[in-house]
Amino acid sequence: MPSIRLWRAVALAAALLAVAAVAPAAQFINVLTGGTSGVYYPLGVALAKIFETAVPDSKPSVQATKASVENLNLLQAGRGELAFTLGDSLSQAWNGNEEAGFRAPLKKLRTVAAIYPNYIQIVAAKESGIRTLADLKGRRISVGAPKSGTELNARAVLGAAGLKYEDFDKVEYLPFGESVELMKNRQLDATLQSAGLGVASIRDLAQAVPIVVVAVPAETVGKIGDAAYRAAVIPANTYEGQTEDVPAVAVVNFLVTHEDVPEEVVYAMTKGMFEHLDALAAAHAAGKSIKAETAASGSPVPLHPGAERYYREAGLLK
C-alpha cells in the first residue's frame, strides 16, 4: 500500500508539472503613468482594466512615476511595457538629448498611439496681480518635477517669452498636487502644469482660491521653434472663475512601448484600447480626445509592428 500511494503521488506531481509546462506564461503589462493628481494616472488605471480582458493571459499593473522622461528611460531599460509621454520628450529621447534627461538615444522605443493634447497651463493666484507672462518675472513659480515632461515644457514656453529661471524670485520643482498646496498656503504665486484640460489639481486649486489662467499668445508659441508645440485655446469655464477663452499652447501625448514587447501583445493592447474608448472617456475628460483616425500619425518614433498591424486592419494605414 505505501508503494502504491507513493506511485500515485509521483504520478500526480508529474501530471502537474506537465500541465505547468504547457500553460502559457503570464504577460506582465506595467503601465507607466505620472503623478496620481495628473491625467496619465487615471487613464493608465482605465487601460490596465481594459487589458485584463483584452490581452489574453496578461497581468496588468499601473505605476505612478514622474511622467514622460522617467517613463521613457524605464521603457528603454525594459522596466515597463506601456508608457505615457509628451511628444517633445519623445523626440528628445529618440535623439538622445542629454540636457533633457536622456544620456543616449533611446532606440528601443516604439509608438503605440498618438492620444490627446496636453495643454501647458499657467495658473496664478488672482490676488498675486499676475495677468500676463511678463508679470511672472520676480515671482514664485512651480515648474513641475525636475526633468519631467512638464519641466521641459516650462523651459520651452518661458524661454519663448524671454524668461529664464534666474528671473524668478523662487523656482520650485514639484508635482502638480504639491504645487497646488503651496499656492493654497500663499507660498507660491503661480504654477505651470502640462496636462489635459480639466486636470484635477487645477480644478482643486480653482475651488479653493480665485485664480487667473495666464495666456500664452500664438506669437510666443511660434518662438518656441519646435513643431511639437501648437497654438491652442483653453475654453471658457474649464475651471471655476475662468469666464473667457484663454490662448494657450498644446503638445500631443503618445502611448509608447519598446521593441521587445511581443507583436501579439501590442496588437491586443491597441485593439482593446480603441474598442473601449468609452472607458477612457469615463476615466478622464481628456480621454474624449483620443481618436483612432489620428493615432498612427505625428510620432518621431516608429510604430511598433503590433500597433501598425491594428491600424492596417482598421483601414487607417495603407
Side-chain angles (χ1 to χ4, degrees), residues 74-93:
L74 286 171
L75 276 185
Q76 178 74 14
R79 293 169 59 191
E81 284 67 46
L82 188 71
F84 289 80
T85 181
L86 283 161
D88 58 329
S89 297
L90 184 57
S91 177
Q92 290 160 340

Side-chain angles (χ1 to χ4, degrees), residues 158-182:
L158 295 172
L163 293 167
K164 300 177 182 178
Y165 284 177
E166 306 91 79
D167 294 326
F168 298 100
D169 178 52
K170 179 191 285 186
V171 177
E172 296 281 5
Y173 300 87
L174 297 170
F176 296 171
E178 291 179 36
S179 301
V180 164
E181 289 307 311
L182 288 184

Side-chain angles (χ1 to χ4, degrees), residues 31 33-47 62-65 84:
V31 183
T33 59
T36 55
S37 59
V39 178
Y40 287 174
Y41 188 81
L43 288 180
V45 171
L47 281 174
V62 180
Q63 182 175 340
T65 68
F84 289 80

Side-chain angles (χ1 to χ4, degrees), residues 261-279:
V261 179
E263 179 178 332
E264 286 297 328
V265 172
V266 177
Y267 171 80
M269 287 196 296
T270 310
K271 187 171 188 287
M273 176 175 70
F274 287 111
E275 288 182 350
H276 296 86
L277 288 178
D278 56 335

